[in-house]
Amino acid sequence: NVISMRIRRIDTPTGVAVKALAPAKVNLYLETLGKRPDGYHELRTVILAIELCDELDLAGNETGEIRLTCDRPELSAGPDNLVFRAARLLKEKTGCPLGADIRLAKRIPWSAGLGGGSSDAAAALAGLNEIWQLGLSAGKLAGFAAELGSDVPFFLHAPAALCAGRGEEVRPVKVGRTFDFLLVMPPVGLNTGDVYRELAGQGSAEPDRRLDEVLAALAEGDVERLGRNLHNRLQEAAMRLCPLVAELHQRLNGIGTAGCLMSGSGSCLFALCRNRTEAAQAEDGFRRGLPPGSEMAQARTF
Ligand code: C5P
């Protein structure tokens, strides 16, 4: 489990504290299969965690208050932050009288389709389960995770999974090797709800053959086959909302990596690279002419 592997308990004079690493993700395949009665889109998506992590420091307190601070002032640390909501939900569900002091250090770009907020929430659930000594099972935590957001349960599971439903039905899948990515983050993010609205119900009746190709290529560690079969149904809708995504995708496509795609609901794009050297070369090559305010980062799978 990608979160529990990355949680460290620290015994302090005032109790247990926890340091948790919350990894980002990329979607290698995402297809929408129509709208559900609850208004969400039925999904089939293959998600892979990558080694670009936010950091959470959590400690219990006796006041009962949840106090969250974040090192990025642009980002709300108030009750709308998913970490805050995770803590409040866990208190409500369990009746735990304790509070928590949580420090969030952001490394993952947000509004990017990289799942940073969802991963933070999953790490908070797992970390608070430790420091409040709630003893909740993985299944219970996954249920709470799904209430917080469609992507949150993935982060309580394996580093790679085929997800269905809203995204909350998580089936771990095999990964045959380490994969290298170059992430390209435009200066503007995208709101997930806006992108799904722009999609306006477009999709497919069934997942196409690329889903099987992606799963087989992942398992076999076949980077060329994986690159040829990347697919994200949300990409065109995101490109209509943000033409810069289209422009960057076209350029990224031209640099000759194994493949490239937008992650999740965007706006971050990734190039799938054959190895770390190619990722470094791609970063160097792409730097020239990068729009002001854009960022790049290399990241590998675990
Ligand atoms: O579940 P989450 O809060 O992350 O979803 C954000 C928004 O994205 C939803 O309000 C919905 O508009 C859209 N969404 C969707 N279908 C999904 C997941 C998200 O329509 N499977």
Side-chain angles (χ1 to χ4, degrees):
N1 156 339
V2 82
I3 293 289
S4 67
M5 281 185 323
R6 283 167 179 79
I7 280 196
R8 211 173 69 229
R9 273 177 69 113
I10 308 156
D11 291 306
T12 72
T14 50
V16 181
V18 155
K19 199 175 207 24
L21 291 181
K25 58 87 175 163
V26 288
N27 301 71
L28 303 172
Y29 179 93
L30 190 157
E31 186 57 279
T32 55
L33 308 178
K35 258 197 171 180
R36 303 153 32 119
D38 62 7
Y40 281 79
H41 292 74
E42 180 66 27
L43 292 187
R44 294 294 178 274
T45 181
V46 179
I47 310 184
L48 194 56
I50 51 173
E51 272 189 339
L52 166 66
C53 295
D54 289 343
E55 276 178 44
L56 284 87
D57 285 292
L58 306 105
N61 71 50
E62 304 284 333
T63 68
E65 263 179 76
I66 298 155
R67 298 186 290 233
L68 173 66
T69 58
C70 176
D71 65 347
R72 299 297 292 265
E74 317 91 286
L75 206 64
S76 161
D80 53 333
N81 189 299
L82 263 188
V83 169
F84 195 101
R85 284 169 48 200
R88 203 176 47 197
L89 182 74
L90 215 47
K91 267 178 77 69
E92 277 166 20
K93 295 283 185 183
T94 63
C96 174
L98 297 171
D101 292 289
I102 310 174
R103 272 207 321 260
L104 172 61
K106 284 302 283 184
R107 308 282 176 263
I108 307 170
W110 52 91
S111 302
L114 297 173
S118 301
S119 187
D120 296 342
L125 288 177
L128 292 168
N129 191 33
E130 288 282 325
I131 61 168
W132 288 342
Q133 299 183 6
L134 301 172
L136 296 167
S137 67
K140 258 266 173 322
L141 284 180
F144 299 156
E147 286 189 41
L148 291 166
S150 308
D151 276 350
V152 184
F154 163 76
F155 291 101
L156 292 172
H157 285 82
L162 168 61
C163 300
R166 291 189 288 131
E168 86 287 10
E169 293 169 28
V170 184
R171 186 150 59 84
V173 299
K174 202 175 151 238
V175 184
R177 58 162 268 193
T178 306
F179 290 98
D180 290 274
F181 296 94
L182 173 68
L183 306 176
V184 178
M185 182 62 204
V188 279
L190 281 168
N191 175 279
T192 303
D194 291 346
V195 176
Y196 276 101
R197 256 188 305 282
E198 176 66 26
L199 184 72
Q202 279 176 298
S204 169
E206 277 179 55
D208 65 357
R209 45 173 286 283
R210 285 175 291 188
L211 174 57
D212 295 328
E213 291 286 322
V214 162
L215 291 173
L218 254 189
E220 288 161 17
D222 185 340
V223 68
E224 303 293 343
R225 189 176 179 192
L226 186 56
R228 279 196 305 275
N229 288 287
L230 298 171
H231 168 65
N232 183 350
R233 173 63 65 181
L234 299 176
Q235 185 168 278
E236 278 185 23
M239 286 173 170
R240 286 197 294 274
L241 289 176
C242 180
L244 188 55
V245 172
E247 188 189 319
L248 287 172
H249 182 268
Q250 196 184 13
R251 287 188 46 208
L252 205 54
N253 210 14
I255 63 172
T257 59
C260 75
L261 193 71
M262 185 186 79
S263 184
S265 57
S267 60
C268 188
L269 298 156
F270 64 83
L272 171 65
C273 304
R274 292 174 181 87
N275 50 51
R276 198 174 253 177
T277 309
E278 188 175 80
Q281 285 165 350
E283 183 170 7
D284 280 345
F286 209 67
R287 195 178 305 282
R288 226 174 325 111
L290 194 70
S294 306
E295 283 174 39
M296 288 191 291
Q298 292 170 49
R300 348 184 69 191
T301 51
F302 291 101

